[in-house]
Structures are given as structure tokens and as C-alpha cells.
Amino acid sequence: MTVTVPETRSGQPKQLDAGVFQPEISSFRLHLAAEGKAAKTVRTYTEAVQWFAAANLRREGNRTGCEEVGKRDVQEWVAWLLGRYSAAYASNQYRALQQFFRWLAVEEEIPDPMGGLKSPRVPDKLVPVFTGDELRRLERVCTGRGFGERRDTAIIAVLEATGIRLAELAGIRYDPDDPRRSDVDLWHREITVHGKGSKTRIVKISHDAARALDRYLRVRARHAQAYRPQLWLGVSNRGPMTASGIYQVIVRRGRQCGVEVFPHRFRHHFSHTWLDRGGVEGDLMELNGWTSPQMLRRYGASARSARARRSYDRVMQDSR
């Protein structure tokens, strides 16, 4: 297995040389892949365990195998992470280690050193929903007939109408000649998205989003790489956009009009809007591709207080 060396959030390369622990980590990587985990998930989990082994276990110099890892090793590592990174990041690293040691305990019939430990507490961070003015400013900053303007208008319109994940947005396919190879159905205002764990679902878009997407598709047809299966193409006849490229476009448009915007903020906004207008929670779970009600609480929290206050008069109206 080739060891990659991504950077930490401090800009320093991570230590990923796991030494004697690498064989088990490689087997864990194979296990994740065999379970159909997304490539990003496999890489994130694998690198988290490599980092723990290289920067913590090997530094001690007296560990010869995973069976010698104890609770204290994990606790010291988590404490180190919390001293340098956010609680959310430390929690993600913790969960990766947890999956590894659970798998290893079953695979090798050895004690799980993380049994009984608790994940770092992550404080709730409320993501503000968009105001009507912010959405209008975003729409205006993309106004124009050029390829870039129509594409960016369509991207923002689809995100606002669906709240789909950035990776799902980037993965939308388009083929005007073969509906079986296209995820876009403008007539029915539906888009097939490919979510986590290779799960697909169909989401609905608004009439406004359908019109914005239709305008983009007309200029896309004249693009030098219109034959490519990816829906979103780069300006100046460049190839398909990656999720990172789409992210940068959205952030740049926000800066141009003075709105703090990132793709995931649309997911919170969509969820709030749905609940605020009386949408059924089960339908929201289906549209967002959630399997746990916990996500309803997380994504609906940003404006829960405002929804409750607006419901006051309806619920507590004087009926005497």
C-alpha cells in the first residue's frame, strides 16, 4: 500500500508511516472497500488509523502490535487532538479509530481498547439559514447570458431547491439523447442523485430551478466538451467540474455579493424551509437521503426557535 502524506490543518504533513501496524491497517482498508464504503470514507478512516499509529504508538517505541494498544493510548491521542483541532475533527478521528478496533476485535479475537470510551463531545454549531435578501444577492451576482453566469445560476438554484450534498451535486450526469444515462428529467422536474454508500434517490426541483437548469443546458450544448457525461462543465471549454471546483465557485460568488455561503449551508436552509412550511419530517428524510431521525434535529436546529415563535399564535390563540 502506498503511503500518502496529506497535510494536517496546521499545514504540516501528517505522519502516516504505521510501521508494524500497517498490515492490520491494510486489511482494514480492504474490509471497508469490500463493504462498499465510499472511496473518501476508506481513505479518511485508513489515514486516521495510520496517523494514530505513526504519531502516537510508534513514538512510544514499545508497541509491537495492535494487541498491545490500551485505552490510555487512545485517550492520550484524543487529548492531543483536542488541544490542536476542533472537537468535531477530533470526534471524526475518534470514530475512525473506533471502527478499526471494533473490526480488529472481531477479526483477531482480541480485546477492544476503546470499549467503554466515549467520543469527544461536539458542541452544537448552528448554521444560519439564508435570508431572502441574501438569496436575491446571490441570484443577482450570477445574472448574465454567458456560460459561467448561467452555470452558476443553475448550481445555486439546484442547491436551494434540493439541499443535496456537494458530492451528489458534482456527480449528476447528463445525456440529452439517452434518458437511461441521464440523471436530469426537466419535464418532471426530477434529478436522480447518487448518495452515500452508492444509494440513489430522486429529488424534486422547483419550477425556477428547472428554468435555470434549462437555460444552462442550452449554453452547455455549445460547449466543446458537451459530450462528457458530467452535468457541470468548466468555463472556456474546460472539462467537468470536481466537487472542489464547485465549492470554490460558490464561495467566490458569495464573496462577490457579500454573502457568507458554502454548499452545505443550502442543506440546512432547505431543511429549515421544509419544516417551517409544514413539510412532513419523513418526507424530508427521504429527500435528504437520511436514515436516522437524529439528522432531523441537527439540520432543523438552525431556526427552530424562529419556527416555534411563529407557531405560538396558531397554537395559543385565544378561543374564548
Side-chain angles (χ1 to χ4, degrees):
M1 176 180 176
T2 301
V3 176
T4 57
V5 187
E7 290 187 346
T8 64
R9 295 191 176 184
S10 62
Q12 298 297 317
K14 286 183 180 179
Q15 303 173 52
L16 298 182
D17 185 0
V20 297
F21 303 98
Q22 188 58 53
E24 285 84 357
I25 297 174
S26 296
S27 295
F28 177 58
R29 179 175 180 269
L30 180 64
H31 161 73
L32 293 173
E35 283 201 333
K37 302 295 186 185
K40 182 180 178 181
T41 300
V42 174
R43 182 175 65 255
T44 299
Y45 279 25
T46 302
E47 288 179 357
V49 184
Q50 286 177 315
W51 192 21
F52 168 66
N56 192 54
L57 301 179
R58 295 193 69 193
R59 185 181 58 192
E60 298 294 329
N62 59 352
R63 304 289 194 281
T64 60
C66 291
E67 66 278 0
E68 297 181 11
V69 179
K71 281 184 170 60
R72 187 176 181 83
D73 295 307
V74 178
Q75 290 170 326
E76 289 177 348
W77 179 242
V78 172
W80 184 86
L81 289 171
L82 287 171
R84 292 161 178 80
Y85 302 91
S86 68
Y89 185 72
S91 179
N92 287 337
Q93 295 294 303
Y94 177 93
R95 288 199 299 272
L97 291 182
Q98 189 177 53
Q99 292 297 316
F100 171 71
F101 284 113
R102 280 179 179 173
W103 165 81
L104 191 64
V106 174
E107 188 75 10
E108 299 296 336
E109 297 183 349
I110 60 176
D112 180 355
M114 297 184 70
L117 295 182
K118 292 184 179 180
S119 173
R121 181 179 176 275
V122 180
D124 290 334
K125 183 179 180 181
L126 299 182
V127 178
V129 299
F130 291 109
T131 65
D133 178 64
E134 287 177 326
L135 291 174
R136 285 189 292 272
R137 282 152 60 189
L138 278 172
E139 183 179 348
R140 285 197 299 268
V141 81
C142 298
T143 301
R145 297 178 180 274
F147 180 88
E149 288 81 7
R150 288 198 172 182
R151 182 201 63 192
D152 297 353
T153 296
I155 285 175
I156 290 172
V158 169
L159 282 174
E160 182 185 348
T162 64
I164 59 177
R165 302 176 180 95
L166 176 60
E168 295 171 342
L169 180 74
I172 298 174
R173 305 168 305 156
Y174 177 67
D175 188 327
D177 301 317
D178 188 350
R180 295 169 301 177
R181 300 163 66 92
S182 183
D183 297 322
V184 179
D185 184 344
L186 277 183
W187 183 252
H188 293 98
R189 294 184 289 112
E190 294 177 345
I191 298 177
T192 300
V193 296
H194 307 276
K196 291 182 176 180
S198 301
K199 296 178 181 177
T200 61
R201 68 185 188 282
I202 298 175
V203 298
K204 200 83 174 178
I205 59 175
S206 64
H207 288 286
D208 286 342
R211 279 192 288 265
L213 193 50
D214 181 56
R215 293 186 185 110
Y216 165 64
L217 291 178
R218 292 204 300 271
V219 297
R220 184 189 184 279
R222 301 191 292 271
H223 195 284
Q225 300 200 43
Y227 64 90
R228 302 290 287 268
Q230 293 86 352
L231 173 63
W232 309 111
L233 302 176
V235 296
S236 301
N237 288 320
R238 289 198 290 268
M241 300 179 72
T242 63
S244 175
I246 295 174
Y247 184 98
Q248 293 172 38
V249 162
I250 293 170
V251 171
R252 184 173 69 248
R253 288 299 189 182
R255 289 200 195 102
Q256 290 173 350
C257 64
V259 175
E260 183 183 2
V261 57
F262 47 90
H264 215 66
R265 189 177 174 187
F266 286 98
R267 194 159 175 80
H268 285 270
H269 182 83
F270 173 76
S271 300
H272 159 68
T273 303
W274 181 272
L275 295 172
D276 191 41
R277 296 179 180 178
V280 178
E281 291 185 347
D283 290 343
L284 180 60
M285 289 183 63
E286 176 66 24
L287 291 170
N288 278 344
W290 295 333
T291 57
S292 168
Q294 180 181 358
M295 304 306 287
L296 283 169
R297 293 189 293 274
R298 176 184 173 190
Y299 281 85
S302 296
R304 184 181 296 129
S305 176
R307 291 196 300 272
R309 292 194 301 273
R310 275 195 293 275
S311 298
Y312 181 88
D313 286 338
R314 177 179 58 81
V315 175
M316 299 297 293
Q317 61 183 341
D318 190 350
S319 59
R320 289 177 297 174

